[in-house]
Amino acid sequence: MRKTFLVTILILVSYNFCLSQNFNDALRLTEPEIITGARALSMGNAYTALSNDFSATLFNPAGLGLIKKSEFSASFSYDSFSNSTTFFNRKEDFSNNITKLSELSFALPLPTIRGSFVLAFGYNQQKDFNYTMKFNGYNPNNNSLIQDLTNYNDDIAYKLVLSYPVYDRNNKYLYDTTLINGKLNQSGKIVQDGGLHNWSFSAALEIQENVFVGATLNVIGGDFRRDRQYWEDDINDYYSSNLLLDPLEPSSRDFKTFYMNDIIKWDVSGWNLNIGLLTKINKVFNFGFSIKTPRFYTIKETYFVDAYSDFAQTRFYLDPPIENKLEYKINTPYELSLGAAFNENNLNVSFDAKFIDYTQMEFKSGLDIRDIENNNRDIKELFRKVINLHAGFEYIIPFVNVAFRGGFMLLPSPYKDDPSDFDKKFITAGLGLNPGSNLSINLAYAYGWWKDIGDNYGSNLSRTYQDIERSNFILGVRYNF
């Protein structure tokens, strides 16, 4: 049950439906996003000690104090997510692409007698939920989602005439049972999209020469949608026309297909603070430190489930489909970042380390107290502390004002005992152009790869093995005035 993308299907405990949110929901909101400003991304997001543009609101707001001219900036991002999934020795490739406005901002240095004071306001994309997966394979073993739903006494299987009730000799209900015993082809696909964005209000102040402090208030909004489809098919005619799955239903003969579709929709709101310090040791070295407070999220969730079963002569529907709405709160952990940058002879080199303790993710309210406590216990048991590493460089070619950039990111898996294959690795590259004294254009590219697994039900009974690749392009334009 460790990384279970279809696990919530197991929690359909009755036709009245009670969905139990789990640790995956907290993780979805906590894991850092790589999409930032074009210059920052091309340098591997090693930006805590640089942060001299609006991207500072995402890294270190103290860096806004380095801005000398008023500026307007805008960025667009293209995200390509590809998943090559192996399921019972069959591979399926599936991908999804999304294009979005990722930044729109203003920064305004105010007149001061000495030092600097800069205000900034704008929109930036905090997180992209782009994800997809597709699988298809024959499970030769004696298990299926139909059996799992039946074992949980879920009325979905009963409503679709895939299970039937068992009574004692006094006609008292005991449990549901099914004659389905595995040996089915299992297939499915997941497509999810949406994202989170910030409306950021920032200020930075040079409190003494070459020492800057800054703070950002982020007002967070966004949405999330996951559309998940799942099939089980009797492709080998294992359940022949002589078998009635429900002894009291003549049409339950010659089972063909079970289909289930569940859709989650979120409307997300929240807020947090970013606080930072940046100091220029001399003309060569910068050091930066930032603290991101927990993000306090409120999630308004709608969960929809539809299903049907096909037999030789009849299709049974889930009528009516299940729909559930609820509202709950999740808090993410603090994030602590430390960075250093070196600048000499048109060369910038920067390094960042970000500490996140995933065991501090927390469900706060809106759910049954038992679910809250169980979820928070699972978080403590399953997750760990990590340090994300970032490195980048920038070389500016003299006289032509063209900058070449590159970088690397290592984002360790937040799960305990995961092998290194599950760590997210990104290489980045970019280009900076200055066609005029006030205009700059920045291009960035990031390529990432890692492995993952998912269970359709149970643990290692119907498991997908995923090889994931992700590519991001960002085009950023900045105008100084």
Side-chain angles (χ1 to χ4, degrees):
M1 300 288 289
R2 192 178 59 84
K3 293 183 182 176
T4 310
F5 293 102
L6 298 180
V7 68
T8 50
I9 289 178
L10 304 182
I11 316 298
L12 302 173
V13 295
S14 70
Y15 183 62
N16 291 324
F17 181 68
C18 177
L19 173 67
S20 177
Q21 285 64 34
N22 60 35
F23 52 84
N24 285 316
D25 299 305
L27 181 62
R28 183 181 301 119
L29 295 170
T30 299
E31 278 193 297
E33 180 57 84
I34 69 162
I35 299 175
T36 55
R39 181 175 180 238
L41 178 62
S42 63
M43 298 180 67
N45 285 338
Y47 220 57
T48 301
L50 294 175
S51 291
N52 57 351
D53 56 31
F54 187 75
S55 297
T57 60
L58 295 170
F59 295 95
N60 183 358
L64 293 169
L66 299 172
I67 296 175
K68 302 303 181 184
K69 292 183 178 181
S70 299
E71 67 177 44
F72 164 79
S73 59
S75 298
F76 294 87
S77 66
Y78 173 82
D79 180 28
S80 177
F81 187 100
S82 300
N83 196 338
S84 181
T85 304
T86 301
F87 183 68
F88 287 104
N89 298 317
R90 286 188 60 180
K91 183 176 288 188
E92 292 279 343
D93 296 327
F94 203 28
S95 63
N96 194 41
N97 306 318
I98 294 176
T99 303
K100 289 184 177 181
L101 173 70
S102 56
E103 181 187 310
L104 188 66
S105 65
F106 294 90
L108 180 64
L110 299 179
T112 58
I113 297 175
R114 63 176 64 182
S116 67
F117 179 47
V118 180
L119 299 178
F121 164 77
Y123 165 95
N124 53 38
Q125 186 177 351
Q126 181 202 117
K127 195 167 183 63
D128 189 340
F129 290 127
N130 187 17
Y131 171 86
T132 188
M133 182 182 69
K134 188 176 183 180
F135 62 93
N136 187 356
Y138 179 71
N139 185 342
N141 303 308
N142 298 325
N143 60 77
S144 70
L145 180 57
I146 296 171
Q147 293 163 257
D148 220 81
L149 292 170
T150 302
N151 292 337
Y152 276 82
N153 278 343
D154 190 287
D155 278 355
I156 289 179
Y158 171 74
K159 293 286 184 178
L160 299 180
V161 199
L162 297 170
S163 67
Y164 61 91
V166 175
Y167 301 89
D168 66 13
R169 62 182 63 188
N170 296 319
N171 206 32
K172 181 180 178 181
Y173 172 79
L174 298 176
Y175 52 85
D176 281 3
T177 190
T178 181
L179 300 179
I180 296 290
N181 189 34
K183 307 293 192 295
L184 298 172
N185 192 82
Q186 299 175 333
S187 59
K189 62 181 180 180
I190 301 173
V191 176
Q192 67 182 44
D193 53 32
L196 300 178
H197 58 260
N198 297 333
W199 288 101
S200 300
F201 306 85
S202 302
L205 177 68
E206 189 173 7
I207 57 174
Q208 68 179 53
E209 186 177 6
N210 292 328
V211 178
F212 304 84
V213 294
T216 297
L217 170 64
N218 294 307
V219 179
I220 305 169
D223 61 354
F224 167 73
R225 184 179 187 272
R226 180 180 62 197
D227 185 352
R228 186 166 49 189
Q229 296 177 283
Y230 180 85
W231 291 264
E232 292 187 338
D233 298 287
D234 183 17
I235 60 174
N236 293 328
D237 201 24
Y238 186 77
Y239 301 96
S240 67
S241 58
N242 297 323
L243 181 65
L244 279 172
L245 291 190
D246 184 343
L248 300 181
E249 176 52 71
S251 298
S252 66
R253 193 183 303 276
D254 199 4
F255 166 72
K256 298 297 184 184
T257 297
F258 163 65
Y259 168 78
M260 190 169 184
N261 176 214
D262 67 310
I263 298 172
I264 292 178
K265 294 181 180 180
W266 280 2
D267 181 14
V268 184
S269 60
W271 68 275
N272 85 310
L273 292 173
N274 297 350
I275 303 168
L277 170 71
L278 188 147
T279 179
K280 297 177 68 67
I281 302 300
N282 49 43
K283 293 183 178 181
V284 176
F285 289 103
N286 287 9
F287 289 94
F289 175 73
S290 70
I291 300 174
K292 292 184 180 179
T293 70
R295 296 185 291 276
F296 303 95
Y297 287 114
T298 298
I299 300 100
K300 295 180 180 178
E301 178 177 293
T302 300
Y303 193 88
F304 173 85
V305 180
D306 197 9
Y308 66 75
S309 61
D310 277 342
F311 295 83
Q313 303 297 326
T314 307
R315 171 174 286 186
F316 294 93
Y317 293 93
L318 187 62
D319 187 19
I322 297 168
E323 186 173 5
N324 186 66
K325 294 184 178 182
L326 71 162
E327 181 176 321
Y328 54 97
K329 297 180 184 295
I330 293 175
N331 293 353
T332 66
Y334 279 91
E335 297 180 17
L336 308 179
S337 297
L338 182 66
F342 169 86
N343 178 5
E344 190 171 29
N345 296 328
N346 298 313
L347 175 67
N348 282 313
V349 179
S350 57
F351 302 93
D352 270 21
K354 176 183 289 186
F355 173 80
I356 304 174
D357 184 355
Y358 284 92
T359 67
Q360 293 184 19
M361 299 184 297
E362 189 175 15
F363 285 79
K364 293 298 291 185
S365 63
L367 305 178
D368 183 276
I369 185 63
R370 289 171 296 182
D371 291 333
I372 291 175
E373 294 302 323
N374 288 336
N375 287 338
N376 290 336
R377 276 193 289 268
D378 287 342
I379 288 171
K380 299 294 185 185
E381 292 174 1
L382 294 172
F383 293 95
R384 63 179 177 177
K385 307 174 185 70
V386 303
I387 296 177
N388 296 340
L389 300 176
H390 305 260
F393 75 90
E394 173 185 65
Y395 181 72
I396 302 172
I397 300 177
F399 309 113
V400 295
N401 289 325
V402 175
F404 290 93
R405 301 169 183 137
F408 179 75
M409 291 181 267
L410 176 62
L411 313 180
S413 169
Y415 289 92
K416 290 180 179 177
D417 303 321
D418 260 357
S420 60
D421 286 347
F422 290 80
D423 298 343
K424 296 180 180 179
K425 283 82 64 176
F426 290 87
I427 55 174
T428 66
L431 189 66
L433 306 173
N434 293 280
S437 59
N438 294 323
L439 178 66
S440 62
I441 299 172
N442 293 290
L443 302 171
Y445 171 72
Y447 170 75
W449 70 98
W450 64 94
K451 294 182 181 295
D452 210 341
I453 59 174
D455 289 317
N456 294 320
Y457 53 84
S459 179
N460 204 18
L461 299 176
S462 178
R463 176 163 288 183
T464 58
Y465 296 87
Q466 304 165 46
D467 287 290
I468 295 171
E469 296 180 349
R470 181 179 176 184
S471 295
N472 290 92
F473 297 89
I474 295 182
L475 168 64
V477 178
R478 184 173 65 194
Y479 182 78
N480 294 104
F481 55 93

